[in-house]
Amino acid sequence: MVPHASVRPAAASPPDHPQPASPRDLFVSFTWLALQGFGGVLAIVQREMVEKKKWLTPDQFLEDWAVAQVMPGPNVINLALMIGDRYFGLRGAVAAVAGMLTVPLFVILALAVLYAHYAANPQVAAALRGMGAVSGGLIAATGIKLIPQLRKHPLGFATCLAFVALVFAAIALLKIPLGWVLLAVGGVACVWTWKKISP
């Protein structure tokens, strides 16, 4: 099997949107993403990959994120793997994941030492609760930004919104575990969409 990078023709037509220049570019970009992602990097990934760097279109991001969500393991790591592999094969996947993990690992270790020392401080506990609220707002804002892309979905906008409401109710209100919700609601959505687009 020929690696992804070796099959690129010398006189290839220009891409329809910007691409990372090298695996090093992926590493640096995902390191920067990870260092910004306090409480989760979903909002940061969407802003950097789609709005700033334009490595992904909104539709590509929505599709990739959906796959990353249902695969085992941390969803942002799954997304980094897919983006890295898309552009530079195995080298790109390794570079993207290394960027997500290497520098943040040392930052987390340092913060863990500080937290162990100051965890009993009420001001520290209050500050961490404040960060949690901000993180929730970032995730909600990203979800709202992705809603317009659902207008292009084969099931129709209204049906997609119904699925969104059903998943929210199942997880937030009924406290059903995420795995069961993905299996049941996600399975129905996948089969229904497949039937819609099949010839």
Side-chain angles (χ1 to χ4, degrees), residues 85-98:
D85 178 72
R86 172 175 293 148
Y87 293 114
F88 296 102
L90 180 60
R91 290 187 306 138
V94 170
V97 172

Side-chain angles (χ1 to χ4, degrees), residues 36-58:
Q36 295 178 76
F38 289 92
V41 297
L42 170 59
I44 309 297
V45 170
Q46 194 272 341
R47 188 186 70 200
E48 292 287 328
M49 297 287 106
V50 177
E51 298 174 13
K52 290 190 174 181
K53 293 183 179 293
K54 301 186 186 300
W55 289 353
L56 299 173
T57 65

Side-chain angles (χ1 to χ4, degrees), residues 66-78:
V67 174
Q69 285 277 83
V70 299
M71 289 171 60
N75 45 32
V76 176
I77 297 297
N78 295 339

